[in-house]
Amino acid sequence: MTDFLFVKATLPKAGALVLPLAEGFSLSGLAAEADAACQGAIARGLEAAGFKGKKGQSCTLWAPGAHLSRVVAIGLGAAAEAAAVEAAGGALWPLVSAEPEAVVDAAALEAPLVATLAFGARLRGYRFDKYRTREAAEDKPKLVRLAFATTAPEAAKAAWQPLSAIADGVFLTRDLVSEPPNVLTPAEMAERCKGLEKLGVQVEILGPKEMRKLGFGALLGVAQGSAQEPRMVVMRWKGAPQGSTAAPVAFIGKGVTFDTGGISIKPAGGMEDMKWDMAGAGTVIGLMAALAGRKAKVDAVGLVGLVENMPSGTAQRPGDVVTTYSGQTVEVINTDAEGRLVLADVLWYARERFQPRFMVDLATLTGAIIIALGHEHAGLFANDDALSQQLTAAGAAVGEKLWRMPLGDAYDKQIKSDIADMKNVGGRPGGSITAAQFLQRFIDTKEGHTPWAHLDIAGTAWATKDSATVPKGATAFGVRLLDRLVADHYEG
Ligand code: BES
Ligand code: MN
Ligand code: ZN
């Protein structure tokens, strides 16, 4: 674990010195002091390397003198705006993580940007290594102390507080999504939700008995093939100011702890990826931790449906008809279209119980969204333009991009069933859209309109390569986005 510190500028006696530099920079303050102590080797080195401070540019100078083992320059671009500063923070991490100590000269940045720089570094420094028992010491990060030298350490610390809580939420999500499926069963995942109680979140866990009583026929149909019992968890954070009468905001997540496809079984190749079919739920849990951790001034509820989708003698069959909590019946054509079945019951429950201001669900719902959007954007489906715009803007601000997809009656017709109210698949054309149409049938009712958005994160929940602030593996896509949505529009 690395300590992140905010301190007044002093030249380090050893280890690494990091210089975040904007285009057209000249070495000043700590950087100039270091350069003088190194007889000008830093300025000469940067010049020789062609380092100009451009966005994405970096340069390591080894042992330039004055007992420093390295000086790392990181480009901030021309404007040094928040996104570039955050990315620079991410970029500096792998360049110094082999040092026990590093000092970052952040004197040229305003306090909020100093915190942003640290945030980028912290997000990039995430590792899931609990199952490595034989890792060589030289392969592990050694950084115990990362100090940001600033003219306003107190203000930087204050700005760091909420960001640090958000990073904690992101890490909780990444941990959950990274866990292997033999460890992270629905019951275990519900148990991890209980951990949020220490942040002041109220946590209720419903088991199969309670869900049977409620009539969760769709969720229980998915769960019935597994030896693992399903759970639904309801998390509540009450942070709105006293006397606030606003309804809570609601986040709902798909939590399939492993998706074999069930009787409509998936091919073997790559099936291990289906351990992260609980990423929607993992994101909701991390989001609740972030909101509570930074004491967001909002009432928020998070609901997750946790099941394992397995084939067995008790598994549901293609052709089964299940009765959902809403009363609507579903003909299960393909047992691999299970996420929408789980969400159907949880969405209906969330709206009925909480009458929320809006609902956003997250799910690794369809392979088709990866075909449509690749790994760059998550699919956004919404019955409300204002909510859709707020989400898109929040995503752009934090670098978790959304792309809105259409909904409409013509797509809805694709899920008509010959014997029930609907079927759970609509054929190959528009596969992500018909999945969203299915969900929408559990949102809109005669009584009224709840603003709702569905984020299909199948293409963005897991990364196969590093990016600035997201090491490869579980991304926690959605935690920052939804935290930002709340911060920008629903607090106070
Ligand atoms: N969990 C999958 C979707 C998925 C696929 C997520 C690849 C991440 C990567 C989902 O439950 C599923 O199996 N969807 C089917 C739907 C089909 C049967 C209509 C799919 O996308 O193939
Ligand atoms: Mn599936
Ligand atoms: Zn699935």
Side-chain angles (χ1 to χ4, degrees):
M1 268 291 276
T2 308
D3 269 334
F4 283 70
L5 305 169
F6 300 91
V7 300
K8 285 272 190 204
T10 46
L11 203 56
K13 301 229 165 19
L17 174 66
V18 181
L19 307 176
L21 297 167
E23 273 176 64
F25 68 88
S26 59
L27 298 181
S28 65
L30 209 54
E33 232 181 279
D35 192 41
C38 300
Q39 281 82 46
I42 297 175
R44 278 198 311 279
L46 295 180
E47 172 75 30
F51 179 86
K52 298 272 191 299
K54 287 198 176 17
K55 225 184 271 184
Q57 215 181 5
S58 69
C59 171
T60 298
L61 305 172
W62 299 96
H67 304 293
L68 291 168
S69 52
R70 67 182 96 183
V71 170
V72 174
I74 304 272
L76 296 175
E81 81 284 8
V85 170
E86 185 186 301
L92 75 82
W93 178 270
L95 301 176
V96 300
S97 61
E99 300 276 355
E101 285 196 36
V103 174
V104 183
D105 175 15
L109 299 173
E110 303 282 333
L113 283 181
V114 178
T116 300
L117 187 69
F119 187 47
R122 175 135 193 254
L123 288 173
R124 179 62 182 274
Y126 173 81
R127 261 167 72 94
F128 186 77
D129 53 11
K130 66 189 277 199
Y131 297 107
R132 296 187 194 279
T133 68
R134 297 289 190 274
E135 195 173 29
E138 67 261 30
D139 295 337
K140 290 187 185 147
K142 288 179 206 62
L143 198 57
V144 290
R145 189 171 174 276
L146 183 58
F148 293 82
T150 161
T151 53
E154 291 312 314
K157 261 180 234 172
W160 170 246
Q161 213 90 76
L163 295 181
S164 181
I166 294 166
D168 290 342
V170 166
F171 288 7
L172 173 57
T173 299
R174 290 181 185 170
D175 283 347
L176 290 169
V177 174
S178 303
E179 283 284 5
N182 60 329
V183 172
L184 199 76
T185 59
E188 172 63 19
M189 202 165 162
E191 222 29 65
R192 304 259 180 120
C193 293
K194 275 269 175 201
L196 298 193
E197 285 178 341
K198 66 176 186 297
L199 297 172
V201 177
Q202 294 171 12
V203 181
E204 290 167 45
I205 301 178
L206 284 76
K209 238 177 52 210
E210 291 82 21
M211 290 192 274
R212 222 169 290 131
K213 211 155 146 198
L214 285 165
F216 274 28
L219 185 152
L220 290 169
V222 176
Q224 77 186 33
S226 172
Q228 301 293 336
E229 283 187 356
R231 296 285 187 270
M232 177 172 75
V233 184
V234 180
M235 292 160 280
R236 307 182 68 175
W237 165 249
K238 294 181 178 157
Q242 285 266 308
S244 152
T245 54
V249 298
F251 303 99
I252 295 95
K254 167 182 172 181
V256 176
T257 61
F258 194 74
D259 180 13
T260 64
I263 295 298
S264 314
I265 198 163
K266 289 180 180 295
M271 202 202 275
E272 67 280 5
D273 283 352
M274 287 301 108
K275 75 168 184 181
W276 48 261
D277 208 20
M278 36 54 69
T283 302
V284 168
I285 297 164
L287 171 67
M288 294 303 288
L291 293 174
R294 69 171 181 81
K295 301 203 164 24
K297 293 184 179 56
V298 68
D299 287 348
V301 296
L303 295 96
V304 293
L306 310 175
V307 301
E308 186 181 53
N309 189 23
M310 295 292 258
S312 78
T314 64
Q316 73 178 345
R317 294 146 289 251
D320 282 4
V321 174
V322 296
T323 302
T324 64
Y325 178 50
S326 73
Q328 301 175 90
T329 57
V330 179
E331 183 185 10
V332 178
I333 299 294
N334 189 319
T335 64
D336 197 11
E338 84 296 340
R340 64 199 75 180
L341 295 168
V342 172
L343 287 173
D345 285 339
V346 182
L347 286 169
W348 191 268
Y349 180 93
R351 190 192 44 72
E352 191 181 66
R353 177 166 171 195
F354 294 108
Q355 307 283 315
R357 279 169 90 176
F358 67 73
M359 300 201 273
V360 176
D361 78 74
L362 300 109
T364 48
L365 204 62
T366 65
I369 203 68
I370 309 175
I371 304 305
L373 300 176
H375 303 286
E376 292 306 311
H377 291 83
L380 161 64
F381 301 82
N383 66 359
D384 187 276
D385 291 342
L387 179 60
S388 169
Q389 277 160 20
Q390 290 172 355
L391 282 162
T392 304
V398 303
E400 294 177 344
K401 291 180 298 214
L402 301 177
W403 195 264
R404 191 171 184 184
M405 303 281 287
L407 289 165
D409 286 342
Y411 295 110
D412 191 69
K413 286 201 178 68
Q414 286 178 237
I415 56 170
K416 277 188 168 170
S417 161
D418 291 336
I419 68 158
D421 295 332
M422 70 197 87
K423 54 185 180 182
N424 75 329
V425 292
R428 297 254 297 164
S432 303
I433 307 173
T434 51
Q437 290 298 155
F438 184 96
L439 299 181
Q440 192 170 13
R441 290 189 179 213
F442 299 87
I443 304 291
D444 294 341
T445 66
K446 280 177 231 80
E447 295 99 68
H449 165 93
T450 303
W452 158 75
H454 156 58
L455 308 184
D456 192 335
I457 59 171
T460 54
W462 192 269
T464 54
K465 57 181 197 313
D466 292 336
S467 64
T469 56
V470 184
K472 73 176 185 188
T475 61
F477 183 103
V479 173
R480 295 185 58 196
L481 188 162
L482 295 173
D483 174 79
R484 184 63 171 254
L485 172 80
V486 169
D488 284 352
H489 302 287
Y490 297 95
E491 282 194 60

